[in-house]
Each structure stands twice: as structure tokens, then as C-alpha cells.
Amino acid sequence: MSEIRFCDVGKRFGDVEVIRGLDLGIEEGEFMVLVGPSGCAKSTTLRMMAGLESISSGDLFIGGRRANDLMPAERNFSMVFQSYALFPNMSVRENLSFGLKLRRTDAATVAGEVARVTEMLGLGNLLDRRPRQLSGGQAQRVALGRAMIRKPDAFLFDEPLSNLDAELRVQMRGEISEMQRKLAATTVYVTHDQVEAMTMGDRIAVMDKGRIKQVGVPTELYERPANTFVAGFIGSPRMNLMPAADLLGDAGPTVDPACRRAGTLGMRPEHVLVGHEAGTVGIGQARVIRMENLGHEMHLHLRNARGRAITARVGSETCGGIAPGVTVPLAFRPEHLHAFDRTTGERLP
């Protein structure tokens, strides 16, 4: 059984409390992503799962068994690190088979398992190479293979792609996701990259300062963020967040009452409309500061009359006549507003 559950877990390093009241359940076979900014304690959370960090308070359960005091080897988890952690003096074949040989697995089984992961990850022409002879993507595949060959109860990934270039990151995202689907293995993946989180996870736990701010499927986090932190962290470009009075102005009476009493309102860049259409609410003029052309779409960075920055995502074909320095009218559809409490930052119903 590979269900993993944190119950009111805390972690301290001396007098410094880095995690408090952590409650999180990861179901068997689920791909869970822990995402958040640097220093939010997501890697510490992963290391507590692996048994590499002790738990200061609360309980960790693995397969229904309290695991606070279990040694790492007793948990049967495989961990893939950012640095790959390959043995430099061993060939790829020896790196793959090391764990099995350590367990005194018979030679025929070792050979069969090496062949299995080699075929799955396309490592056949690399088996006699040393780590220094591998590219970053190849080394990461070997690290994946070494984790897979043990047939663990769960895979733990600690920012495994952060050392790769952009193209390799996209490729490896797909390979890890495909591996997880084939094996149906419980997987916990730590990253600070919200694009990785959104494209890979069955569910995502967004963390900040040792606390979980929201857990949900990617669409839920994007469409109904629970608070201003998640609203601002998930999405690229980030959600526009500003005081309600600055955004609504005279439009207040035309929108939902929850929006009128909110302290902060949010709007995704794709929901900021340039110009007016039937059913939209105007929010005044804004000056184009700069434009980012992504080919299929354009990101407009604007500043309104109150000095607030606003980002709009529009189709490239709709940008005729728009240029830096030009002033344009902005509007939105009321159903696309997100309302957050003035004091707590939590989402209003």
C-alpha cells in the first residue's frame, strides 16, 4: 500500500518553525505535485516522506501504518534528486543494477530488470557509458531508471528538471508523466515551476511558508483559487489583483454583490478585454507600456489612470493599431471576476 498521509505535522530546525499544521493525503496511484516559491518547505515535506528528515510533531502514515520512526529503507520509496546522484565511477548499466545487487538479487533477475527499464527509457545505447559521458537529459533518464528498477511503492521527485534547458524540460515532463501512467505508481513531485505543476499533476498542493494554501486539480486551482496567494502564483501571466475600488470605479453597481464588498478583485489576463462588447463592463482607459509577442498570442502590459499595472492576453490578430504608448479602453465580463476578503485574502463565495 502506498497511500501517504500527513496529519497535523510540524517541523522545526532548532527554534525555527518551518512547517506547522500540515494536513495532506496522497492516494495510492496518484500523481501529486507540491509547488510553491523557494523556501516554502516543499522539499522538506518530501524529505520527511522519505525519512531523510525527522518529524517534530504530528504523524505521517504510509499505507495506514504510522511511519514517523521508520528508517528510509523500510518505506520502499525511490527518490530522484535534482543533481541525479549517479555514481561517477560506474557505467550506466552498473548504476541501474546497483540497488538490486545490493539486495543480493540473482543475476538473471538483475539482467531482466535492467533490460525492462532500458527499453522503457531508451537507454540501450548508453549502458556502457559513464555519467560524465552523458547529457543532462540522458543522466536524468538514468536516474529515473535507477528509481524504477526497484519497483518501489512510491516515487519521490525533488525538482528533477531544474538543471535542464527549456526544450529538455518539456521532453522530460512528458516522459515522467508517461512513466507514471504506465506504472500507476504513487508519485510525489516537488517543483517551483507552476507550468510543470499544471501539466503533470493529478492534483496540486500549493505551499507557502510551510503551509498548504490549497489542494486541488489543476483546473480548480486556476478557475477557483482559494486565496490571493494561489491566484497570484498559479497562471502565467499571473492573475491581475488589485483593490476593488481601483478596478471597478463606477462599475460597482453592475457586478455581483460579493465583488462590491471585496477588498481585492482578480481577473485572469485572458479575461481583460480591449474595447467594449455586448454584456461587458468598462473599466476605463489604460496606457500600453510594452507588448510581448508570443506568435499565437500577445501579452499587453498596461497601466490604468490610477497607476495600477494590468496584463491582458489577446490574440495576435486582434492587436492592429495597438503599440506601446497608445491608450486603449478596457472591459471585462462580470462572471470572470474573482473576489477575495479584504482582511484574510480568502476567496468570497
Side-chain angles (χ1 to χ4, degrees):
M1 295 292 292
S2 50
E3 179 193 40
I4 304 167
R5 194 164 301 277
F6 287 92
C7 297
D8 195 26
V9 166
K11 175 63 180 176
R12 305 183 68 90
F13 292 104
D15 294 332
V16 180
E17 183 180 57
V18 296
I19 294 175
R20 176 158 54 97
L22 178 67
D23 291 301
L24 177 65
I26 301 158
E27 303 301 325
E28 184 171 7
E30 181 176 29
F31 197 130
M32 171 69 78
V33 178
L34 306 182
V35 67
S38 297
C40 73
K42 54 190 183 293
S43 289
T44 300
T45 300
L46 194 76
R47 290 174 65 84
M48 287 193 295
M49 289 184 207
L52 302 179
E53 293 286 357
S54 62
I55 292 174
S56 303
S57 60
D59 294 301
L60 170 67
F61 294 93
I62 298 173
R65 177 187 180 188
R66 187 176 183 273
N68 292 42
D69 301 318
L70 288 182
M71 298 297 292
E74 298 177 271
R75 303 180 189 215
N76 195 30
F77 291 169
S78 278
M79 193 160 181
V80 179
F81 297 92
Q82 177 181 342
S83 61
Y84 317 140
L86 301 178
F87 298 112
N89 60 328
M90 294 184 183
S91 67
V92 168
R93 188 191 314 273
E94 291 167 332
N95 266 281
L96 291 174
S97 61
F98 178 79
L100 295 180
K101 290 182 176 179
L102 201 63
R103 297 180 178 186
R104 303 185 184 278
T105 307
D106 66 89
T109 301
V110 171
E113 289 302 298
V114 169
R116 176 180 68 87
V117 300
T118 294
E119 181 179 1
M120 182 176 288
L121 296 173
L123 299 173
N125 63 337
L126 304 176
L127 289 176
D128 295 321
R129 295 188 189 182
R130 298 294 176 91
R132 66 176 179 274
Q133 298 172 303
L134 304 176
S135 69
Q138 290 168 339
Q140 190 57 273
R141 283 193 191 92
V142 176
L144 281 175
R146 191 176 59 184
M148 290 167 54
I149 206 166
R150 289 182 50 201
K151 295 184 179 178
D153 289 332
F155 291 98
L156 309 181
F157 291 90
D158 192 5
E159 306 233 27
L161 307 184
S162 56
N163 289 334
L164 304 181
D165 62 39
E167 184 177 352
L168 268 177
R169 286 174 74 101
V170 173
Q171 180 181 339
M172 291 303 299
R173 284 206 308 260
E175 293 187 9
I176 292 172
S177 296
E178 180 66 15
M179 178 206 76
Q180 195 271 341
R181 280 193 294 271
K182 286 180 178 177
L183 300 177
T186 305
T187 300
V188 186
Y189 188 102
V190 162
T191 182
H192 65 274
D193 185 334
Q194 54 99 13
V195 175
E196 281 185 17
M198 294 290 284
T199 55
M200 298 178 75
D202 295 328
R203 287 193 302 154
I204 301 169
V206 183
M207 297 186 68
D208 182 45
K209 299 176 182 175
R211 292 290 193 94
I212 291 180
K213 306 297 286 187
Q214 186 175 359
V215 180
V217 299
T219 52
E220 180 184 356
L221 269 59
Y222 191 82
E223 296 173 0
R224 289 191 60 81
N227 46 67
T228 53
F229 179 83
V230 176
F233 189 83
I234 295 293
S236 180
R238 70 191 299 273
M239 181 184 284
N240 296 289
L241 294 168
M242 61 186 69
D246 284 8
L247 179 62
L248 293 180
D250 296 332
T254 68
V255 300
D256 185 90
C259 295
R260 294 202 300 271
R261 68 175 182 269
T264 300
L265 291 178
M267 191 186 309
R268 292 289 180 195
E270 61 269 27
H271 295 147
V272 177
L273 306 177
V274 178
H276 294 287
E277 302 173 10
T280 66
V281 177
I283 50 175
Q285 304 279 322
R287 184 170 179 266
V288 179
I289 305 301
R290 73 179 191 278
M291 304 170 65
E292 296 177 342
N293 189 345
L294 279 69
H296 64 293
E297 66 183 21
M298 193 80 73
H299 295 172
L300 305 181
H301 298 269
L302 310 109
R303 196 167 300 278
N304 69 7
R306 295 174 179 260
R308 298 289 181 182
I310 300 174
T311 302
R313 174 191 279 144
V314 298
S316 298
E317 71 280 358
T318 67
C319 288
I322 298 178
V326 170
T327 298
V328 296
L330 299 181
F332 66 92
R333 295 188 183 279
E335 63 267 26
H336 290 150
L337 280 182
H338 301 260
F340 302 97
D341 184 83
R342 185 183 310 275
T343 303
T344 65
E346 296 298 307
R347 185 182 188 89
L348 294 174

